[in-house]
Amino acid sequence: MFRVFRGYIIFMNKKLKAVVLLSGGLDSATVLAHAVKKGFDCHAISFDYGQRHRIELRCAKRISRQLKAADDLVIGFNLRKWGGSALTSSMKVPKGGLKSGIPVTYVPARNTIFLSFAISYAEAIGAKDIFIGVNSLDYSGYPDCRPQFIKAFAKCANLGTKATDEGWKFKIHAPLQKLTKAQIIRLGTKLGVDYSLTNSCYDPDVKDRACGKCDSCRLRKKGFAEAGIKDPTVYQI
Amino acid sequence: MFRVFRGYIIFMNKKLKAVVLLSGGLDSATVLAHAVKKGFDCHAISFDYGQRHRIELRCAKRISRQLKAADDLVIGFNLRKWGGSALTSSMKVPKGGLKSGIPVTYVPARNTIFLSFAISYAEAIGAKDIFIGVNSLDYSGYPDCRPQFIKAFAKCANLGTKATDEGWKFKIHAPLQKLTKAQIIRLGTKLGVDYSLTNSCYDPDVKDRACGKCDSCRLRKKGFAEAGIKDPTVYQI
């Protein structure tokens, strides 16, 4: 697009860039659709960190294409070097239903690592807006999903980059923070997300079918049921 | 070591674990020596991030052995995917002396990324102390070296991990924060650091010799001169 002003052709690409953390799950797919709808030029970033459910990376690519992200980048590193989680070690994924406390699927400092890469990427491409799908209602009890953490990270991001010196600020958007899983699914459906492309399961089988029993599958199932929307997930059972 | 108490043999391994960020440069080598001296069981962590001066990884291994770290781990990821720095792209390393402002050798959010991995590692192995060689006097003007950033990161680390829920705290130690380069060199020399094993140069030649002209080489040279200690670095000129 362009317009002509005093004989000059002026290109009108006013879209602001944003970096969107895209895991390939239901929440981050919804967040990407939300950021696209808001008019951002969305640069998706995913992580190949040694996760058990590596299928999510293929899902991330498909979602990024379905929702027309400007770019989809994968950063690889190996959190299995120290494990400490059922998602990055041989520890079993619990399937007995949600319990109180921090579950063993919590990956030490995962969102801190993910957000750090996101601000590095954002700073390099000139984006000031970062979108993340954390949620503090229907979630798994992870400390790095709570609002206080996101707020503290934003402060840290602005001090540890050029932002403060150059007089601008990073904004960490967490649009799902106060939504239930059902509300997220309703929002995403309205925004045109194809949830059959997403994976939430922590422990899919060799045919990539969801287990239906891990915390993440339970929350997903409950969400679709409460939203009154058909769950397109292929379950093992 | 053990002692006998009421007929029971009690093992006395009271050494606390610490994670030490070890780049292979002068500062982090000094920090490792300091942490070892303080009695910590030091787990060194280094990063293979696409840096121009990859020689520092070999240096990190040698230093870790010289100073008897308990472990030395390397995490790899590719910051050249987005560059944004003379250390992670084909941009030239400036050699005209220190200027004001943030130099082009600043790597977007590098210390935020490094510290995020450090707390993930620390949480997994049960360490609460993290050591980093940032310094705000004789340094290169990087935003992620200032005390306010380190303080903000510590807050973020405690909120984004199990720390707050389990009632303990990460402590980020930055023992060089207020020292000049000369003071750091004097401290390290007293602690037995072999500085000939370290590399500070951003742009070494194919024979691993330091350029002697980049900001980092200049600070190093000046530091040794001011400390009145012979600089063991092999320079190209």
Side-chain angles (χ1 to χ4, degrees), chain B residues 49 83 133 139 147 152 178 194 206:
Chain B
Y49 61 96
Y139 81 126
K178 291 174 184 170
D194 178 354
V206 285

Side-chain angles (χ1 to χ4, degrees), chain A residues 74 81 106 108 116 120 123 165, chain B residues 74 81 106 108 116 120 123:
Chain A
V74 178
K81 288 213 175 186
Y106 160 70
S116 302
S120 179
E123 190 169 18
D165 301 77
Chain B
V74 179
K81 288 214 175 185
Y106 161 71
S116 303
S120 178
E123 190 170 18

Side-chain angles (χ1 to χ4, degrees), chain A residues 78-90:
Chain A
N78 187 8
L79 291 187
R80 287 190 176 252
K81 288 213 175 186
W82 50 77
S85 164
L87 299 189
T88 53
S89 74
S90 54

Side-chain angles (χ1 to χ4, degrees), chain A residues 23-60:
Chain A
S23 72
L26 185 157
D27 295 338
S28 67
T30 311
V31 167
L32 175 58
H34 167 85
V36 167
K37 176 81 178 174
K38 288 268 174 201
F40 285 98
D41 192 37
C42 293
H43 295 253
I45 183 168
S46 308
F47 302 94
D48 186 6
Y49 61 95
Q51 65 268 53
R52 178 187 290 270
H53 51 315
R54 205 165 168 274
I55 174 198
E56 64 175 13
L57 291 171
R58 256 176 294 146
C59 296

Side-chain angles (χ1 to χ4, degrees), chain B residues 87-157:
Chain B
L87 300 189
T88 53
S89 73
S90 55
M91 210 187 287
K92 281 199 174 167
V93 173
K95 302 206 173 155
L98 278 167
K99 287 184 186 125
S100 63
I102 298 170
V104 294
T105 50
Y106 161 71
V107 179
R110 183 175 54 177
N111 280 348
T112 318
I113 296 173
F114 288 180
L115 281 167
S116 303
F117 279 109
I119 59 158
S120 178
Y121 184 28
E123 190 170 18
I125 64 171
K128 289 166 191 165
D129 297 86
I130 321 284
F131 286 81
I132 182 168
V134 290
N135 158 255
S136 50
L137 283 181
D138 282 351
Y139 81 126
S140 294
Y142 297 152
D144 51 357
C145 286
R146 53 186 159 204
Q148 303 94 303
F149 163 70
I150 298 297
K151 202 178 155 196
F153 187 87
K155 189 175 177 189
C156 175

